[in-house]
Amino acid sequence: MPFIKVDVLRKDLNREKKQQLMRELNKAVTKVLNKDPHLTHIVINEIEDDNWGYAGEQVTVLKEQGFSNEKK
């Protein structure tokens, strides 16, 4: 039984994007591992910016400094 855990910043995904991510991950597990798609479990953990760090700084602080994780 595959179990997939995805950690994301809380504001990065809406309901539709989460559903799309779950479907695509399930397809990949089915194809690559040849697993029954009904046996795959996926959990998305949404983490607040204050609780996520990058290069020793909170994401909140980085965003205040102009950092963005958005595609350009």
Side-chain angles (χ1 to χ4, degrees):
M1 167 176 65
F3 179 87
I4 300 169
K5 178 183 168 192
V6 180
D7 293 331
V8 298
L9 290 172
R10 181 171 297 278
K11 296 176 185 170
D12 282 353
L13 296 177
N14 59 31
R15 184 177 185 179
E16 292 76 25
K17 288 289 186 184
K18 289 176 193 176
Q19 183 62 49
Q20 181 183 1
L21 178 59
M22 288 180 177
R23 284 186 180 131
E24 294 300 324
L25 287 170
N26 201 17
K27 284 182 197 176
V29 168
T30 300
K31 180 179 178 182
V32 175
L33 300 179
N34 196 29
K35 295 291 183 177
D36 180 343
H38 295 98
L39 299 178
T40 300
H41 296 260
I42 300 167
V43 173
I44 297 176
N45 290 315
E46 295 178 289
I47 301 171
E48 296 290 340
D49 289 359
D50 281 345
N51 297 330
W52 193 298
Y54 172 74
E57 292 288 346
Q58 285 175 299
V59 169
T60 308
V61 173
L62 293 170
K63 286 181 176 179
E64 289 169 355
Q65 296 171 352
F67 175 83
S68 173
N69 63 340
E70 301 293 321
K71 273 183 159 179
K72 296 189 180 199

